[in-house]
Amino acid sequence: MKTDKKRATRPLFSLLLSMIILGLVLSACSNSGNTAATTGTTKANTAPQAGGITPTPGAQKTPIANPPPGAKKGSGGTPLPANEIKPLTFNLAYNDAAIERDMAQMYTPGSATYHQFLTSDQFVQRYALSDTQLQQVKSWLTSQGYTVDAVDGLRSSIQARAKVSTIEKSLNIKLKAYTLLNRTFFMQEGEPTLPASIRGYVHSVVGLDNFALPEFKPPVGFQEQTQQANSANCKGYGAKQTLTAKKLAAAYQLDKLYAQGFQGQGMSVGIAEFSEPFSASDLANYAACAGIAVPKVETVEIDGKVKSGPGEGEAAMDVELVAALAPKANILVYQANADNTSFAQAMVDLLNRVATDHRVQVLSISYGTAESSFSESEMAAVNRSLRTLASEGISVFISSGDCGAYTLRVRQPQVAEVAFPASAPYAISVGGTHLQVNDSNVRTSETVWGEDDGTPVCQNQWGTGGGVSQNPDFKRPSWQTGKGTTTHYDGTSQAVFTATLPPAPVTAPNGLRQVPDVAAAAYPNIAIYYNGSWYASGGTSAAAPIWAAGAVLVNQALQQNGKSPIGGVPTFYTLANQAKNYHPYTDITVGNNLFYPATPGWDYSTGWGAPNFNDITQLALSE
């Protein structure tokens, strides 16, 4: 692995060229959304009576909706048809100060409320709008011509739809379509406003642009064609030293949890998918070769039905890895139709559904794209939903990205940018490693997943995502401390810039959120069965479900011993900083993600490192 490659300092003309290219990059855009009207049934509000909130004038600094910084519109724009129906999600206000205060105690070891996670009813009673306040918002929407489709049980959002003309008039904006770089997207013109009577009750509105696109095609290596049409084809499983479920389980101490009887019985894992189906026959073939029962997978539809088929391979990998590593856990695939809504809106709706259902202990998300593709209001809405899940003790593992330190590397090779939603403060961001395990199921090597994997690349190289957020609202959390978290990096000598105009050399730390938090196998040498063939696949899209499967077994052990689940991201820093005689992580110290090197302790390539799930369990039990 080439870990010490240096980029020469670029002359001034090259810097200017990078600035010009960056301007073009930030004009990147997404496909236009589905213009068909969405349908839905208004759900009755069955939440318990909440005390309500007291709006504080001027407390909310983020606009209720603003354009993504990367969506450089160009001139003009074409007005959307007045009668076109658009779905929107109105995110409702909470008692944010109370939530943040309670969350700090919930994740502080020694606190009287440490790991005393909340039920859905408790969350509503403590932080949500009252019946009267909620009704005020719904009444205004219907008076303006919106159809209210649903109010979730946590009173976190109202899903509604209306004609473009209604949206424009009620919010005092214009919706226009733009075409740049052969892609078309729509977005708002002007800053939305709401009447004073409800302004304090609405935190944000999501769905006023569809600039960001979900990225979900994992890297793949060799392909082994199917040899038998009517029976399990196992020829390619484990071929060419690919990682099987047994090898992954041995490397990450899952086999030790199996030996104690923990295989996920009575537990549930959620998997987020965005318009990405999988084939039941692929899953059955994988299960037969991995030596597990064919898992029963429940699909929860969000924002409409998704067409069936084998997909692009992302969902297949997510489900197969969770099924193989937590073979007796229930699997719920939360399937959002991102064709009917924007990616940001689909994320908010999905996360709110998971939090409202409160049926899973962990959630895996293998999707994201560059921070600059989302607006501050969209990122704030997603992070608030992740905060709710953390308050319920639900661990949400999110892939950190697959293009190294450069999420938009396919279009701009020298702009260091992290992926969202992995960069959200309440996400558990999962980076990637290159894991090798021999035929005796012994880990022989684990380094950073970097630039030498030999697969088709991001126009340059694949590699684990990592770096520093550029969203000023994502302050570095108080719990993000420990060895390595303050190591300084400067992109000046290597001409590595931020995704801003004008560009500036990237610096880390910068006072904002740092990612990833942890890591797992991502190099494309993991055996996956997809569309009738065996593949060597990977990406941080594999690392996230590996962590989710392991975490649910940890939670099973904790539950059987009367302990609370491990919960949200602060716990993973507590594990590292209060490890005692345990080794919760394998520290990765070799390799880089095309800019940030692996170092002892925490680093911007692999966070704290790869999991040792049995040690994590024993450490958590010792608290």
Side-chain angles (χ1 to χ4, degrees), residues 510-594:
N510 64 350
L512 303 176
R513 172 74 158 111
Q514 303 174 181
V515 294
D517 302 303
V518 292
Y523 180 95
N525 65 341
I526 301 172
I528 297 298
Y529 196 76
Y530 161 63
N531 201 20
S533 298
W534 285 102
Y535 287 86
S537 192
T540 55
S541 292
I546 289 171
W547 260 99
V552 84
L553 301 191
V554 174
N555 282 343
Q556 182 186 6
L558 293 174
Q559 183 183 86
Q560 289 195 13
N561 284 275
K563 295 275 190 175
S564 299
I566 53 177
V569 62
T571 298
F572 295 85
Y573 286 77
T574 299
L575 291 171
N577 291 318
Q578 299 183 15
K580 303 176 184 177
N581 294 322
Y582 298 100
H583 298 88
Y585 309 110
T586 294
D587 193 3
I588 309 301
T589 59
V590 176
N592 64 61
N593 73 342
L594 313 180

Side-chain angles (χ1 to χ4, degrees), residues 299-334:
T299 299
V300 181
E301 294 178 348
I302 297 164
D303 296 332
K305 196 173 185 64
V306 172
K307 63 182 180 181
S308 61
E312 298 288 336
E314 176 59 61
M317 180 165 65
D318 291 342
V319 177
E320 288 172 7
L321 286 174
V322 170
L325 298 177
K328 294 187 178 180
N330 301 314
I331 299 176
L332 280 72
V333 173
Y334 285 86

Side-chain angles (χ1 to χ4, degrees), residues 259-481:
Q260 299 168 56
F262 302 122
Q263 297 188 54
Q265 302 93 320
M267 309 298 287
S268 298
V269 180
I271 300 174
E273 303 293 348
F274 297 88
S275 299
E276 164 68 353
F278 64 93
S279 164
S281 62
D282 283 348
L283 180 57
N285 197 103
Y286 179 89
C289 299
I292 61 171
V294 178
K296 294 181 180 179
V297 180
E298 178 183 346
T299 299
V300 181
E301 294 178 348
I302 297 164
D303 296 332
K305 196 173 185 64
V306 172
K307 63 182 180 181
S308 61
E312 298 288 336
E314 176 59 61
M317 180 165 65
D318 291 342
V319 177
E320 288 172 7
L321 286 174
V322 170
L325 298 177
K328 294 187 178 180
N330 301 314
I331 299 176
L332 280 72
V333 173
Y334 285 86
Q335 180 65 266
N337 190 330
D339 298 322
N340 286 348
T341 62
S342 71
F343 181 30
Q345 186 178 357
M347 272 197 288
V348 169
D349 292 347
L350 187 151
L351 294 171
N352 288 346
R353 178 63 181 275
V354 175
T356 300
D357 289 352
H358 207 166
R359 297 177 60 194
V360 302
Q361 291 78 50
V362 298
L363 177 68
S364 176
I365 303 177
S366 295
Y367 297 77
T369 190
E371 279 190 332
S372 60
S373 295
F374 298 92
S375 70
E376 290 182 10
S377 56
E378 289 170 333
M379 288 194 280
V382 171
N383 188 55
R384 290 173 83 246
S385 297
L386 289 168
R387 180 183 66 183
T388 301
L389 289 162
S391 76
E392 294 180 340
I394 298 173
S395 306
V396 184
F397 299 96
I398 304 181
S399 303
S400 70
D402 293 344
C403 288
Y406 315 94
T407 298
L408 284 177
R409 192 174 183 86
V410 67
R411 295 186 289 269
Q412 171 54 33
Q414 291 304 123
V415 174
E417 185 171 8
V418 294
F420 180 82
S423 66
Y426 281 102
I428 305 170
S429 179
V430 185
T433 68
H434 181 177
L435 170 67
Q436 297 181 73
V437 181
N438 66 22
D439 290 337
S440 299
N441 294 337
V442 175
R443 182 205 321 244
T444 58
S445 173
E446 192 160 17
T447 59
V448 176
W449 176 40
E451 59 185 319
D452 69 340
D453 60 27
T455 64
V457 294
C458 303
Q459 297 295 316
N460 289 277
Q461 290 92 20
W462 294 93
T464 175
V468 287
S469 175
Q470 300 297 324
N471 181 350
D473 292 332
F474 286 174
K475 305 300 183 186
R476 179 178 167 187
S478 60
W479 42 258
Q480 191 158 43
T481 60

Side-chain angles (χ1 to χ4, degrees), residues 60-66 191-192 199 203-205 376-378:
Q60 183 176 322
K61 298 179 181 179
T62 304
I64 61 172
N66 56 348
E191 185 173 315
R199 177 63 186 91
H203 178 271
S204 60
V205 180
E376 290 182 10
S377 56
E378 289 170 333

